[in-house]
Amino acid sequence: MKFKLVRYEKGEINIPLIYFLVFSFSGLIAFALFRCGLLPTFKCQFKEFTGHPCPTCGTTRLVLSIFQFKIRDAFLFNPFMFVSGVIFGLWTLTGFLPLFFKKKLIVQFGKREKKVIVIIIAIMFLLNWAYLWIEGI
Amino acid sequence: MEKCPQCGFALNGDESVCPNCGYVLKSDGIASPPPPPTSSGNTEKNDRPLIPFADSSKGFVDRFLETVKLVIFSPRQFFSNYNFKSNIGMGILFAVIVGFISAVLNLVYQLVFNTSIYSIIARFGNIPVKDLQFQNAIGVFGGALSLIFVPIGIVIALFITSGIYHLLLMMVNGANEGFEDTFNVVAYTSAATLFAIVPFCGNVFGVIF
């Protein structure tokens, strides 16, 4: 895996920055609604039908815990989604590189590395799902 | 045997232009430089026409209707023949327009059907009509107010959906094109939400479509 800083060409779309703005904006709206008690609650249809959690169950409670600044609880509600969210958040921050340094970050994987990473993600995903079942989240 | 450097077509040697692809072989006795090293697949993709909605040479309404028609009635032709490398701004605009129209249609149907249902309930349920009318008015007012947030919601949903699709495509080595392509495909697919024009089952049909 290689991290490379390459020149940001003028007119290129800054995708990480767009995602940063979209998620910051929607996060702020959700936080405001939560504070006013107007945030609608969602029920997982998978859990409704089967009685067992789906792989993303606990994400709403994870976000609500973050809004209450309970980071440990947030992690325990769905560790996979929490870690994914942190990695995603770090990636969106790279959107500021073109603004200040006129460069963008590129992550390059070899074919074999990519396969290994996909397998690791799949295992983590399944382990996380098993954790959700065992804990009854 | 001599071959065209652009398409590989077999030549006799005396042609000045390739009879297959039109590549200029000789100009005033000077052979043209070899073409830039591009894979044939990329050349083919760049030659694809622009999505009608992104083609500014036509009128706005015309290109909007043409795109909607293509997505709904000829989806295979649309998604295989057009160049999705265009500006994502046009994709966002298209999805916002389509989403807003379907939201308005849903609100109108809600207004029409709720009013009739409430009048039936009032007649048979021995409930004061004024109470039900008030409830209906609040519902419609809330719906109309929520229309303001529809465009914001559509943009957020577009980025989340296309991000998830692109990530999944990357995992299975399917993201051969850039993020813009995935984004535009998701954006133009939203034309299916116009099935909301059919009351009751339109939204469900749009999702399945």
Side-chain angles (χ1 to χ4, degrees):
Chain A
M1 188 162 67
K2 282 179 188 170
F3 290 91
K4 265 187 182 178
L5 274 175
V6 296
R7 197 181 155 77
Y8 176 77
E9 300 296 333
K10 218 179 173 184
E12 239 180 295
I13 301 170
N14 191 341
I15 295 164
L17 188 66
I18 293 175
Y19 271 97
F20 178 84
L21 295 172
V22 167
F23 274 84
S24 307
F25 182 69
S26 44
L28 282 173
I29 291 174
F31 185 67
L33 289 172
F34 172 73
R35 282 284 174 188
C36 303
L38 296 169
L39 195 68
T41 51
F42 308 99
K43 275 191 176 174
C44 174
Q45 295 304 310
F46 183 88
K47 200 175 180 181
E48 287 282 302
F49 280 109
T50 64
H52 295 290
C54 80
T56 58
C57 263
T59 310
T60 310
R61 285 165 282 172
L62 181 158
V63 174
L64 294 178
S65 299
I66 291 174
F67 286 163
Q68 292 167 311
F69 307 106
K70 295 174 181 169
I71 305 300
R72 191 176 169 274
D73 290 355
F75 176 79
L76 292 173
F77 273 125
N78 195 320
F80 184 83
M81 293 303 284
F82 185 89
V83 175
S84 307
V86 171
I87 294 169
F88 176 76
L90 290 173
W91 173 74
T92 62
L93 287 176
T94 64
F96 287 96
L97 289 172
L99 294 182
F100 298 113
F101 306 105
K102 303 257 180 271
K103 289 195 172 177
K104 63 176 180 181
L105 183 74
I106 286 183
V107 187
Q108 288 177 324
F109 302 101
K111 266 194 174 176
R112 203 192 156 104
E113 281 175 333
K114 202 173 179 181
K115 260 188 188 172
V116 171
I117 288 171
V118 169
I119 291 167
I120 291 172
I121 291 173
I123 292 169
M124 298 303 283
F125 181 82
L126 291 172
L127 283 176
N128 182 70
W129 199 6
Y131 162 80
L132 297 179
W133 274 53
I134 293 163
E135 291 293 317
I137 285 169
Chain B
M1 186 183 279
E2 211 175 318
K3 282 184 177 178
C4 168
Q6 172 94 346
C7 66
F9 187 77
L11 303 165
N12 294 326
D14 56 345
E15 297 98 332
S16 56
V17 173
C18 171
N20 185 43
C21 68
Y23 182 73
V24 181
L25 300 159
K26 288 167 196 166
S27 170
D28 297 332
I30 304 160
S32 57
T38 52
S39 69
S40 58
N42 280 344
T43 312
E44 193 189 303
K45 273 160 199 162
N46 290 337
D47 288 346
R48 288 176 181 178
L50 268 179
I51 296 163
F53 190 69
D55 183 3
S56 53
S57 62
K58 294 172 189 166
F60 187 81
V61 179
D62 288 344
R63 54 191 159 124
F64 175 74
L65 292 176
E66 195 182 333
T67 310
V68 169
K69 218 161 69 176
L70 277 167
V71 177
I72 292 177
F73 298 110
S74 324
R76 185 173 286 183
Q77 185 199 337
F78 180 73
F79 290 109
S80 57
N81 290 357
Y82 286 92
N83 182 3
F84 284 85
K85 276 267 174 281
S86 58
N87 189 353
I88 62 167
M90 295 308 283
I92 294 175
L93 183 63
F94 182 83
V96 166
I97 294 170
V98 162
F100 193 79
I101 292 170
S102 62
V104 171
L105 287 170
N106 278 320
L107 186 68
V108 170
Y109 287 141
Q110 192 188 333
L111 174 68
V112 171
F113 293 118
N114 279 7
T115 309
S116 357
I117 289 165
Y118 282 153
S119 63
I120 293 166
I121 293 170
R123 192 179 295 165
F124 295 105
N126 202 18
I127 300 166
V129 179
K130 269 190 181 175
D131 285 3
L132 287 169
Q133 277 175 342
F134 180 69
Q135 275 181 19
N136 194 20
I138 286 178
V140 171
F141 179 73
L145 202 68
S146 69
L147 283 179
I148 301 165
F149 299 104
V150 164
I152 301 167
I154 290 168
V155 175
I156 293 170
L158 266 180
F159 276 101
I160 294 173
T161 315
S162 50
I164 292 169
Y165 281 145
H166 196 71
L167 200 67
L168 292 173
L169 283 170
M170 276 167 74
M171 286 175 81
V172 293
N173 286 330
N176 301 324
E177 312 301 325
F179 174 78
E180 293 96 321
D181 288 53
T182 312
F183 186 90
N184 278 328
V185 167
V186 173
Y188 287 104
T189 310
S190 66
T193 58
L194 284 177
F195 279 114
I197 202 161
V198 183
F200 297 117
C201 57
N203 285 321
V204 180
F205 187 71
V207 171
I208 296 166
F209 185 83

